Amino acid sequence: MKRILIAEDNDSNFILMTYILKKYYQFDRAKNGQEAVDMVDKNDYDLVLMDIKMPVMDGMEATRLIKEKRPDLPIIALTANAFDSDRQLAFEAGCDEFLPKPISSDTCLKTISKFIDD
């Protein structure tokens, strides 16, 4: 089973993601960008779902650091900030895709499968 890191500081958003993903993927949680970077260093993930606004280190900086070490690891930005400028910044940071919150389970699963399902 493919393994996903969910970088999300908000408990209710994390619970929603677990509901969407639990039948199809294994997953771990990072509660801030620094935890996400550290967990990617120590574990073999197939994909990262990255919240952009988090404490300690935001998702943009975490994405940059992860992509320096694992350029082929797909990172999907998840954010309530769905302006074109936010989308552009996410792609500049290294995100491979951008999904606005609130996210539908169908859209989430289809987007993930583009990157990691055989």
Side-chain angles (χ1 to χ4, degrees):
M1 189 176 278
K2 300 285 185 170
R3 192 167 174 202
I4 294 175
L5 176 62
I6 304 170
E8 174 61 69
D9 63 312
N10 181 289
D11 289 339
S12 59
N13 288 339
F14 176 72
I15 290 166
L16 173 63
M17 294 310 300
T18 63
Y19 176 78
I20 293 170
L21 301 175
K22 66 184 175 186
K23 291 182 187 172
Y24 310 102
Y25 305 103
Q26 292 179 330
F27 50 83
D28 295 320
R29 179 185 188 183
K31 290 188 176 184
N32 63 60
Q34 185 61 58
E35 275 186 20
V37 171
D38 294 344
M39 290 174 76
V40 167
D41 282 345
K42 295 175 184 157
N43 300 284
D44 189 26
Y45 293 107
D46 296 293
L47 183 134
V48 177
L49 294 172
M50 183 71 74
D51 183 26
I52 298 303
K53 295 219 186 284
M54 290 186 290
V56 182
M57 177 189 295
D58 69 23
M60 300 288 195
E61 183 62 21
T63 296
R64 284 186 199 93
L65 293 172
I66 290 168
K67 285 291 192 171
E68 284 176 10
K69 295 176 184 174
R70 302 261 322 266
D72 296 332
L73 179 63
I75 299 177
I76 299 174
L78 299 175
T79 184
N81 298 348
F83 299 108
D84 285 340
S85 58
D86 298 309
R87 179 185 298 269
Q88 186 61 37
L89 289 170
F91 287 127
E92 287 172 9
C95 291
D96 298 282
E97 189 56 81
F98 181 96
L99 294 175
K101 293 177 186 175
I103 188 164
S104 76
S105 59
D106 196 43
T107 300
C108 183
L109 292 170
K110 281 181 182 173
T111 303
I112 290 170
S113 70
K114 285 194 317 190
F115 291 98
I116 64 173
D117 290 341
D118 299 329

